Amino acid sequence: MRLPASELAQAIHHCRQSFQSAAIFSLFINLLMLFPSIYMMQVYDRVLGSSSTSTLLMLTLLAVVLFAMLGALEWVRSQILIRVSARFDVLLNERLYRVMFRQSLMSGGKSSTQAIGDLLALRQFLTGNGLFAFFDAPWLPVYIGLLFLFHYTFGVVAVISAILLILLAIWNERATHDDLDKANKVSIESSNITARNLRNAEIVHALGMLPNLMGRWKDKQQRLIMLQAQASEKAGLIAALSKTYRLTIQSLILGLGAWLAIEKQISPGLMIGGSILLGRALAPIDLMIGSWKQFLSARTSYERLNTLLAQFPPEAEHMPLPFPTGKIQAEQVVVAPPGAKTAVLKGLNFTIEAGSFVALIGASASGKSTLARAILGIWPAANGAIRLDGADVNQLERAAIGHHIGYLPQDVELFDGSIAENIARFGEVDANKVVDAAQAAGVHDMILHLPQGYDTEIGSTGGVLSAGQRQRIGLARALYGNPVLIVLDEPNSNLDDQGEQALAQALAAFKQRGCTIIVITHRVGILSLVDRIMVLNEGSLVLDGPRDEILAKLNQRSQPAAMPAVRGTNA
């Protein structure tokens, strides 16, 4: 049974007509490449023999025209491959962006942009000189055949030379493959670690961690340099041997031709033409050896992308469902964080009716934040299911359902852009909805006091904003568009009294609208607003019921471990 082609193979197949066009241009380019030999043969055999300047003039004019045509064909072929690389990028870039996003979700936020780098490496190879060698290499038998027509000894030398250069190419592959592969892995690992360290530059600077982190980076960098140097030394030696041999054999075949001309076995023109033709025949192999590092890099990138795309197949399109009402059901839910072997949530069963206001409380590492992520479909359930209005949250179309959901994570992340764009979730900015969300979060007046108001540009860290201001803008983003389900993870951890009051008013207003609200909190203030309290302990739901009933039980037990006494948990 034939396996379906990979997505990369399909993308290349979509570009097959362009590759075929490049191959056709290569046909004419290589035909024109024969003319230098023909020109030299005619000059030595006809022009010098007849002393005809008119013949020389006509041959030279013809040579100039054909060489100009050759240059034009080379340019057109390069433009075809440039467009192929652009189309290849267009076919894959959006898919890869989605895959990187899913990979980050599945790895718990350990993001990497290596896939984009691999796509760039493939694009660069498609537009580089190394690929031209693969188009020209099939013409090697034709050149060797012509050399046999010149004289059988020319053909024998060409065959031996081609075999030697091919052996050098194989040696180059085997000598450099392992070192370059290891260097690639070290480079990716070093880049990812450096990116994470840079994102935490403040703590690194404050705690004086830079020398220690830089020492670890230097160790990896030295290993990377050593591996690249080893590969480059081997590749450089082989490339030098290849170039030296090609130049030497071109001179030697000229000497062979001279001897054959003296023996009257060939004409002087064939002597010169044979040397030129042999150089042309061996040039693609020599170019392959010289660009082998780029080829290996492109091949490694191709393999990595193939593996990545296979790990994250395209998501199936789901039929649009009616707008959700906000009912949540958990059925024997077991959840483990990405990369963890032990489940944090262990067989949870509960139902949250639409319009309920629920507080999740519990000790540190009890599974509160994990449950919030599972409810939103951020972390998939290893067993069981969480349903929104009866549909598995992991089967919902995120772009469609996201408009009806509000989420404020414990660690608020804003994005590069204006405050208005951040609140509007980088969709079309509806000014009225943006202001309504900001007012609901109690941050409207603060925004107006900024230099550019809602148009103030901020970065991922919030720029000029304090932690409390970032949290309140994150809350406005969660409330944007009147969602039917709102999940807030420690929404008041960085708020002052004014911010807490604004948060309480916002939640009370959304409760009146019938919105389902789930809030993780350790502060008693918000508990006065909720209808129901769910208490988690070591991944199990130990208490669940009306607010006053659960608070009474907790007071009777007097067990601080069951109460949310620890700030900033990130279970």
Side-chain angles (χ1 to χ4, degrees), residues 113-123 188 300-301 304-305:
T113 59
Q114 182 59 40
I116 296 299
D118 287 336
L119 183 60
L120 177 61
L122 285 178
R123 283 192 58 193
I188 294 170
T300 302
S301 296
R304 269 200 303 262
L305 288 177

Side-chain angles (χ1 to χ4, degrees), residues 315-322 324 327-328 375-377 386-402 405 485:
E315 295 176 298
E317 293 187 8
H318 302 286
M319 186 186 76
L321 297 176
K327 181 179 179 180
I328 302 292
I375 288 173
L376 295 169
I386 292 183
R387 302 184 182 280
L388 175 61
D389 287 8
D392 191 324
V393 291
N394 292 302
Q395 302 300 321
L396 297 172
E397 181 64 40
R398 304 311 305 185
I401 200 68
I405 293 176
L485 171 63

